[in-house]
Amino acid sequence: MSTLKEQLQSDLTSAMRERDQVRAGSLRMALTAVTNEEVAGKEHRELSDDDVLKVLTKEAKKRREAAEAYTGAGRAELAAKEEAELAVLEAYLPAQLGDDELEAIVREAVAGSGATGMPQMGLAMKAANAAVAGRAEGGRVAAVVRRVLAG
């Protein structure tokens, strides 16, 4: 079992003991998503820490998008609930890169990949995502890659 999954289970137990409803609910949701990913496909598999991080990143993105949608619809109480869950999940994710750091890493990765223009965006994205390694959202990475390739 991955150490990150064990950490999530341990923190869930302590949140339940402390009667922290938001944290316990968020961790339950995260562990359910991890379990669903483990049993997806033809056979059960054990997720590595990197795989668990990918699942947590996906769940955090869902919470962020839901909070934006609720805010846009004028449902502040539901947006606040989603943002509280997002805050719990972000504690387990690596720190996000700043714009300057992200651009520097992407420029280096694109140069190393040999991509010269927009037709090689897939090649550039593959190199950039490998270099960023989950420390920035895919949309942000894609925007920087487009800017770099456009010149």
Side-chain angles (χ1 to χ4, degrees), residues 9-43:
Q9 289 173 333
S10 169
D11 290 351
L12 172 60
T13 303
S14 65
M16 289 167 57
R17 283 192 183 123
E18 296 164 8
R19 300 193 191 286
D20 185 344
Q21 297 291 327
V22 173
R23 197 161 147 250
S26 300
L27 292 173
R28 270 194 196 101
M29 169 272 310
L31 283 167
T32 299
V34 168
T35 302
N36 287 342
E37 185 66 26
E38 286 178 337
V39 298
K42 294 194 184 278
E43 62 183 54

Side-chain angles (χ1 to χ4, degrees), residues 16-135:
M16 289 167 57
R17 283 192 183 123
E18 296 164 8
R19 300 193 191 286
D20 185 344
Q21 297 291 327
V22 173
R23 197 161 147 250
S26 300
L27 292 173
R28 270 194 196 101
M29 169 272 310
L31 283 167
T32 299
V34 168
T35 302
N36 287 342
E37 185 66 26
E38 286 178 337
V39 298
K42 294 194 184 278
E43 62 183 54
H44 182 275
R45 62 191 170 97
E46 197 67 40
L47 296 182
S48 67
D49 277 350
D50 287 341
D51 293 333
V52 173
L53 268 178
K54 286 177 186 172
V55 171
L56 292 179
T57 301
K58 193 180 342 176
E59 291 299 316
K61 182 180 179 189
K62 287 180 189 176
R63 299 298 167 275
R64 193 173 299 110
E65 290 172 351
E68 289 172 12
Y70 285 138
T71 301
R75 299 293 307 265
E77 70 283 355
L78 292 174
K81 179 181 179 281
E82 295 292 335
E83 288 167 356
E85 289 178 358
L86 175 62
V88 172
L89 291 175
E90 285 179 338
Y92 297 94
L93 297 175
Q96 296 293 296
L97 293 172
D99 291 337
D100 295 336
E101 292 175 293
L102 177 61
E103 184 150 351
I105 290 171
V106 168
R107 283 190 183 281
E108 187 176 309
V110 169
S113 73
T116 56
M118 289 306 286
Q120 288 100 17
M121 176 135 180
L123 179 66
M125 279 298 295
K126 185 175 181 180
N129 279 329
V132 170
R135 295 176 291 162

